[in-house]
Amino acid sequence: MQDRITKAKEEIENLVVNNLEEIEAFRIKYLSKKGVIASLFADFKNVPNEEKKAVGQELNTLKTLALNKVNELKESFACSDIKKSGMDLSLPSAPLTVGSRHPLSKVRNEIVEIFTRLGFTVSEGPEIDDDWHNFSALNFPEEHPARDMQDTFFIENKPDIVLHTHTSNIQVHDMEEMELPIRCVTPGRVFRNEAISARAHCIFHQVEALYIDENVSFADLKQTLTYFAKEMFGKETEIRLRPSYFPFTEPSAEMDVSCSLCKGKGCNVCKGTGWLEILGCGMVDPNVMKLNKIDSEKYTGFALGMGIERIAMLKYGIKDLRLFFENDIRFLEQFSVNI
Ligand code: DAH
C-alpha cells in the first residue's frame, strides 16, 4: 500500500503533459471511478487498524494533490491558448454604444410626468375608432362645420370608422368606463390628412388631459396650466389665455407661454410677439357631459390638449417637424438617454 502511494505521488508530481487530451487521460487514470486513487481507497479496508490513521491521511493528501494538478494544468493550457492567439487581455474593451430616447418620447414622458405629479392617471385607447368616440360624443354634430377643423382619414363609411384625429376619443372611453371623479392624461399618436411640411405632418402626437369632479372651475384649469408651463419651460415662464373655440369645451381658450428664448422681448421664434402658442383648453361643454351620461348639474370639468411635436420643437429649437420622422441617426443621437 505504502509503495503504491509513494509511486503514485511521484508520478503525479513529475507529470508533464503536452495537450488537453493528455490532461484528460491523466484525470481518468487517477481520478475516475476506476482510477488509481479509487482503487487505493478500495484497498484501504485491508490496512491494519493501527496504520489506518496515517495511511488515511496520506490517501486524502494524494487525492488533493491529483485534483490540484489537473486544475493547474488546465489553467496553464487555457492561458497558453490565449497567448498563442496573440490576444492582449490588457487592452480596454470596445466601448458600448447606448441608444438615446427619441425626442418625442422624452417630451411626452416629461409632459405625462408633470401631470402624474398632480394626480392624473395615464389612459391609453384605440387609434382606430368609430365616429361616436372621435366626433359625436365630443359635441361635433353630424355635418357640423367643426368637423372640417380636422381633416380625417376614413377607414370605413357609414358607419364611419376613422383613424383618430385627436386623443380626445380616449377621453370619451374614459368617461364611459371610469368612475367619477376622473383625472387622466391621454398620450397618443394621431392622424390627419394634411400635406407634409416643415410645420405639419399627417401623423403627429398629442397629450390631452381631462379632469371632471364637483366644483372644478376655470381657476383650477388656469392653475394647472401655470404649474405645467413653469415645470415644462422654467420657473420664470408666464402664461396667457386667449379666447378660442372647440366643440367640446365652453368657454374655450388657447394658451401661450412667454418665449423662453427672448424672455418675452420678441425674436424670430415668437415672431416678435414674445409669446408662443402651446395648447388648447377649456371647460368641458355641458353637452359633452350629457352625451356621456354625466350629470352636468353636479359635475364640471376642464380639458386641455397639446401637440408633442410643437413642444419638442420649441424646447430643442428644431425648425423642421419632418426631422422627427426621418430616423436620421445624426439627428437622434443628439438627445441624451435619461428620462
Ligand atoms: N382636440 C384638440 C385638437 O386636436 C386639442 C384640444 C383642445 C384638446 C382643447 C382638448 C381641449 O382637450 O380642451 O385640436
Side-chain angles (χ1 to χ4, degrees):
M1 185 75 165
Q2 194 58 55
D3 290 349
R4 285 163 68 200
I5 294 177
T6 317
K7 190 169 160 256
K9 197 173 162 222
E10 269 170 23
E11 243 181 73
I12 293 171
E13 277 170 349
N14 299 327
L15 177 80
V16 182
V17 290
N18 298 311
N19 51 41
L20 287 170
E21 287 80 45
E22 285 181 20
I23 301 175
E24 183 57 9
F26 166 79
R27 190 193 65 78
I28 292 169
K29 181 173 173 198
Y30 281 92
L31 289 160
S32 65
K33 271 189 194 152
K34 290 186 182 153
V36 174
I37 292 174
S39 81
L40 283 168
F41 271 101
D43 294 341
F44 183 65
K45 58 181 181 300
N46 305 325
V47 174
N49 275 350
E50 61 278 15
E51 288 173 30
K52 270 209 159 83
K53 190 175 173 208
V55 175
Q57 272 173 2
E58 274 190 83
L59 275 180
N60 283 331
T61 318
L62 186 71
K63 189 173 178 187
T64 318
L65 184 73
L67 282 170
N68 288 346
K69 187 80 183 183
V70 170
N71 290 339
E72 241 170 59
L73 289 171
K74 275 192 182 160
E75 248 169 54
S76 75
F77 268 89
C79 288
S80 75
D81 273 359
I82 289 171
K83 273 187 213 134
K84 259 189 252 152
S85 74
M87 203 191 287
D88 181 354
L89 290 181
S90 65
L91 280 178
S93 60
L96 280 179
T97 45
V98 181
S100 49
R101 280 222 192 282
H102 194 282
L104 294 179
S105 304
K106 282 188 68 159
V107 171
R108 182 203 50 212
N109 292 352
E110 213 173 319
I111 299 169
V112 167
E113 206 193 278
I114 294 171
F115 281 97
T116 45
R117 284 208 288 278
L118 289 172
F120 284 75
T121 55
V122 182
S123 300
E124 287 185 353
E127 290 185 336
I128 298 176
D129 216 340
D130 52 22
D131 176 278
W132 171 258
H133 290 88
N134 195 74
F135 291 123
S136 299
L138 290 160
N139 198 32
F140 288 82
E142 242 174 87
E143 313 298 338
H144 193 278
R147 291 196 180 207
D148 294 341
M149 289 165 79
Q150 305 179 355
D151 222 338
T152 310
F153 286 116
F154 289 87
I155 302 239
E156 279 170 29
N157 283 115
K158 297 203 184 333
D160 289 344
I161 305 289
V162 300
L163 289 180
H164 68 164
T165 54
H166 47 190
T167 54
S168 314
N169 69 314
I170 304 171
Q171 301 183 335
V172 176
H173 286 281
D174 284 345
M175 286 188 271
E176 281 169 355
E177 286 154 28
M178 291 166 97
E179 293 207 359
L180 293 165
I182 293 173
R183 203 191 274 146
C184 62
V185 272
T186 55
R189 180 173 60 165
V190 300
F191 308 84
R192 285 185 205 175
N193 191 6
E194 304 228 6
I196 297 170
S197 71
R199 297 177 56 90
H201 207 288
C202 52
I203 302 174
F204 58 101
H205 299 79
Q206 287 189 330
V207 179
E208 296 197 19
L210 174 70
Y211 177 30
I212 301 178
D213 200 351
E214 289 177 42
N215 301 319
V216 177
S217 70
F218 202 92
D220 296 316
L221 170 61
K222 192 174 171 200
Q223 189 52 40
T224 306
L225 292 171
T226 308
Y227 176 79
F228 168 73
K230 287 183 185 294
E231 289 293 297
M232 193 73 206
F233 297 103
K235 291 275 171 263
E236 65 297 335
T237 308
E238 311 240 355
I239 68 161
R240 86 177 175 186
L241 293 168
R242 284 177 291 104
S244 184
Y245 169 77
F246 299 103
F248 35 81
T249 45
E250 182 60 35
S252 302
E254 256 156 295
M255 179 181 95
D256 299 339
V257 292
S258 52
C259 178
S260 54
L261 286 177
C262 63
K263 306 272 173 276
K265 286 193 201 77
C267 64
N268 57 6
V269 173
C270 60
K271 301 203 188 75
T273 62
W275 296 96
L276 297 163
E277 187 190 319
I278 295 292
L279 54 77
C281 60
M283 300 305 293
V284 178
D285 193 306
N287 262 342
V288 173
M289 298 279 203
K290 276 182 214 125
L291 289 164
N292 290 283
K293 302 192 176 60
I294 294 173
D295 181 354
S296 62
E297 296 293 321
K298 187 167 172 204
Y299 292 100
T300 48
F302 68 67
L304 59 100
M306 68 194 95
I308 302 178
E309 278 80 356
R310 175 152 177 82
I311 306 239
M313 285 169 89
L314 294 173
K315 194 168 165 97
Y316 295 115
I318 296 165
K319 294 223 164 62
D320 192 324
L321 189 141
R322 288 168 291 198
L323 285 166
F324 291 123
F325 303 98
E326 281 169 359
N327 280 338
D328 185 332
I329 198 89
R330 291 165 304 176
F331 170 70
L332 295 174
E333 67 193 3
Q334 299 174 67
F335 303 92
S336 61
V337 243
N338 49 13
I339 307 183

